[in-house]
Amino acid sequence: MIDFRIITLKALATGIFALGVTLLISVTFVPMMGGKLAGAGLIMTIICPLASAIPMSALHYWNTARLRLARKEAAEARDELAVAYEQLRMSSRLDPLTGILNRATFMDELEKASLGQKSGGLLFFDLDYFKTLNDTYGHATGDAALRRVGQLVSRMSADDDIAGRIGGEEFAMFLPFLKRQDITEAAEKIRIAIANLKVTTTDGDKIGLSASFGVAYCETGFDPSRMLQVADANMYSAKRQGRNLAVS
């Protein structure tokens, strides 16, 4: 907001300064040229600098204030645009229901991990009897279950881990630098945590969840698509063996 009171005070100060300079020059040089500073000449010496300096300086200070305000608004708009862009970029990377990476972004990050010569454990898991859950309790309860699992996965992920919803009730995680012998144990921790979740249905009932895990070890330079197929096959093996298992 432009403060016109400040502009007015600054314009008056400029006018008084201009009057002082004009009077000083006139008092100094008019007598030297044989003139006398009095009467109409004195009046004009006073009126002219005030009449010109005050409105011109007021216009200058007003334009300066407008320019400063415009720059401030432009800077704020730029900052808001940067925030909006970052939010849009993040929203395009995330699955809107679970809050973890969507399939496309997960595959991109998995590809980067491979190109970065990272090794580690790949976990592919699927919620058990999810279609039955949807059919019995409704899609709102199914969405709540997916949301709870997404929150759990996010909470249990380390900074370098990659976690995403691959589609439907399927999730995947890549745990870099994890040793081959530790992968099944890591999957078991997440499997048990999911088995301990309780989801409240629209009727107020609480139901439990479980998930079947397929585990694969990724050597450096691994093929993301092929390793995901391996983990997927192991997950279906867990389904055939009775579900709520981790198979490597």
Side-chain angles (χ1 to χ4, degrees):
M1 179 181 293
I2 296 176
D3 192 336
F4 289 100
R5 183 179 64 86
I6 297 297
I7 291 175
T8 301
L9 291 175
K10 290 172 70 175
L12 289 174
T14 302
I16 293 171
F17 177 77
L19 173 61
V21 172
T22 302
L23 286 174
L24 179 61
I25 293 173
S26 298
V27 169
T28 302
F29 290 99
V30 169
M32 292 174 60
M33 293 183 292
K36 185 177 181 181
L37 191 62
L42 177 59
I43 293 174
M44 292 303 294
T45 301
I46 296 172
I47 292 177
C48 286
L50 293 177
S52 59
I54 292 177
M56 291 302 294
S57 60
L59 180 62
H60 168 72
Y61 292 132
W62 179 57
N63 284 330
T64 301
R66 287 176 60 199
L67 180 60
R68 187 181 299 112
L69 179 61
R71 287 175 176 171
K72 179 183 177 183
E73 291 175 346
E76 291 175 349
R78 184 182 64 246
D79 292 343
E80 290 175 359
L81 184 61
V83 170
Y85 173 78
E86 181 61 19
Q87 291 175 342
L88 180 62
R89 188 186 71 84
M90 289 302 298
S91 66
S92 68
R93 289 171 52 85
L94 301 180
D95 173 62
L97 181 60
T98 61
I100 57 179
L101 299 180
N102 57 36
R103 180 186 179 90
T105 307
F106 177 84
M107 295 304 296
D108 287 343
E109 293 298 320
L110 196 60
E111 180 73 24
K112 291 178 183 177
S114 173
L115 294 175
Q117 297 301 304
K118 291 182 179 180
S119 62
L122 183 61
L123 281 54
F124 190 96
F125 59 98
D126 178 285
L127 297 185
D128 296 327
Y129 304 111
F130 188 74
K131 184 179 184 303
T132 301
L133 185 151
N134 268 333
D135 292 343
T136 304
Y137 301 103
H139 288 280
T141 301
D143 288 349
L146 294 173
R147 192 177 300 111
R148 290 291 306 279
V149 172
Q151 292 169 348
L152 182 146
V153 167
S154 180
R155 187 171 62 251
M156 297 186 70
S157 296
D159 291 340
D160 292 332
D161 293 348
I162 305 170
R165 180 186 177 196
I166 303 303
E169 66 273 26
E170 296 175 338
F171 297 80
M173 297 179 69
F174 178 70
L175 314 179
F177 314 118
L178 196 66
K179 295 180 180 179
R180 186 188 298 270
Q181 62 268 26
D182 297 329
I183 300 175
T184 302
E185 181 181 350
E188 277 293 301
K189 288 181 180 179
I190 300 172
R191 183 192 66 78
I192 293 171
I194 292 174
N196 288 330
L197 286 178
K198 296 294 181 182
V199 177
T200 303
T201 70
T202 53
D203 294 330
D205 298 327
K206 290 189 179 297
I207 58 173
L209 301 173
S210 68
S212 299
F213 281 71
V215 177
Y217 179 72
C218 301
E219 302 277 0
T220 56
F222 64 91
D223 182 327
S225 296
R226 190 181 72 81
M227 294 311 300
L228 200 61
Q229 290 174 358
V230 172
D232 184 32
N234 288 339
M235 183 270 292
Y236 275 102
S237 177
K239 293 278 190 184
R240 290 192 297 271
Q241 293 180 44
R243 293 181 169 83
N244 197 21
L245 296 171
V247 174
S248 59

